[in-house]
Amino acid sequence: MEFSIVMQQWAWVGLGAAIVMLIWLFGTDYLRVQKDRSRWRDPYWLSWLFMVGYMFHNVEEYAIDLTGAAQAFPAGIAAILGRMPSEVFFETVNFSLIWLGAPLAAYLGRKHNNPFMATGMAGIIVVNCLTHVGSGIAQGYNAGLATTVLLLVPIAIWCLCVCYGKGKELPSKAAWANIGIGLLYHIIMFGTTLGLMLPNRANDYICSLILLLDAVLIFYLWWLVGRRFARTKE
């Protein structure tokens, strides 16, 4: 299956955006909120760092991996399903939560003083790590494994350590809620992929719609749970 120019180039566009964001993150204080402490302890600053990490992650998955293979992650999904899904499937997964949901959560989290929402991607990353590492242990290197282990996981664990816990921005139980929401996202995603796409019970567009609704649900839970923790703190 030959992908469109959007599918072939979007990860590289994301890399360019990541480089610009790195300049904003480390060269300015524009994305900082809590300027009385290190930027590395500011949940709102970290919320934007998640996206930088994911843009690099997308390059390894969708542009070129460490073996030099292009579009290696879609090829891996095709090997599981026995066919290559429509590119709308991959675009929905990434654009709905990573390109739209994550930056909107970072923005609204800052605007409404909701650090849980701002750092919601930490739970997504932790669970995503388990899939990459588990597959790596069982089958060897997979597209996305290196950036997961070297970039995403350290950022997520650091965020959970400095923002969640006694006397910190959020209580320890909020960290478990964060990871639980990340787990729910992946259960729905894998349930759709393996439960509907693998046995061809639904076409790719129906599955993509389910994944879009999955992202909307997770975004809502970030906001709702975050507001509850904010009220508890008050």
Side-chain angles (χ1 to χ4, degrees):
M1 177 180 179
E2 185 175 348
F3 289 120
S4 71
I5 190 69
V6 173
M7 187 69 175
Q8 294 177 36
Q9 301 298 328
W10 69 269
W12 293 115
V13 173
L15 178 62
I19 293 172
V20 172
M21 288 184 65
L22 281 173
I23 295 173
W24 282 350
L25 283 165
F26 291 98
T28 76
D29 288 336
Y30 181 73
L31 297 176
R32 295 179 63 186
V33 174
Q34 301 174 350
K35 298 180 182 179
D36 59 334
R37 65 178 69 179
S38 166
R39 68 186 70 217
W40 288 99
R41 294 181 178 274
D42 183 342
Y44 304 104
W45 184 87
L46 289 170
S47 69
W48 294 103
L49 189 63
F50 286 136
M51 279 170 282
V52 172
Y54 243 103
M55 295 306 164
F56 281 97
H57 183 60
N58 284 160
V59 170
E60 187 185 3
E61 287 187 325
Y62 292 93
I64 185 169
D65 71 2
L66 295 187
T67 70
Q71 300 288 339
F73 183 76
I77 297 297
I80 294 173
L81 298 178
R83 64 179 180 85
M84 179 63 75
S86 170
E87 65 182 67
V88 70
F89 170 77
F90 300 107
E91 292 165 354
T92 300
V93 170
N94 289 281
F95 291 143
S96 62
L97 192 65
I98 308 305
W99 284 62
L100 295 176
L104 188 58
Y107 170 75
L108 292 177
R110 173 175 180 167
K111 183 176 180 180
H112 296 286
N113 192 28
N114 189 333
F116 183 89
M117 183 179 207
T119 57
M121 284 300 298
I124 300 291
I125 289 171
V126 168
V127 179
N128 183 57
C129 162
L130 299 178
T131 65
H132 279 288
V133 173
S135 178
I137 293 173
Q139 302 176 340
Y141 171 76
N142 58 81
L145 178 61
T147 45
T148 294
V149 173
L150 297 177
L151 286 178
L152 292 178
V153 172
I155 295 171
I157 291 178
W158 173 260
C159 176
L160 293 174
C161 287
V162 302
C163 299
Y164 293 74
K166 186 176 181 181
K168 297 178 182 177
E169 201 77 29
L170 290 157
S172 299
K173 61 183 179 181
W176 293 109
N178 190 319
I179 294 172
I181 292 173
L183 180 61
L184 175 62
Y185 173 77
H186 282 83
I187 288 174
I188 296 174
M189 182 172 66
F190 285 119
T192 300
T193 305
L194 301 179
L196 296 178
M197 295 185 73
L198 183 58
N200 290 320
R201 291 174 178 166
N203 66 38
D204 293 355
Y205 292 94
I206 295 297
C207 292
S208 297
L209 176 60
I210 294 172
L211 294 177
L212 176 59
L213 295 175
D214 184 20
V216 172
L217 171 63
I218 296 310
F219 188 87
Y220 174 69
L221 289 175
W222 284 343
W223 175 82
L224 180 64
V225 176
R227 290 310 302 158
R228 289 186 175 180
F229 279 118
R231 287 196 294 271
T232 300
K233 187 174 181 180
E234 292 171 0

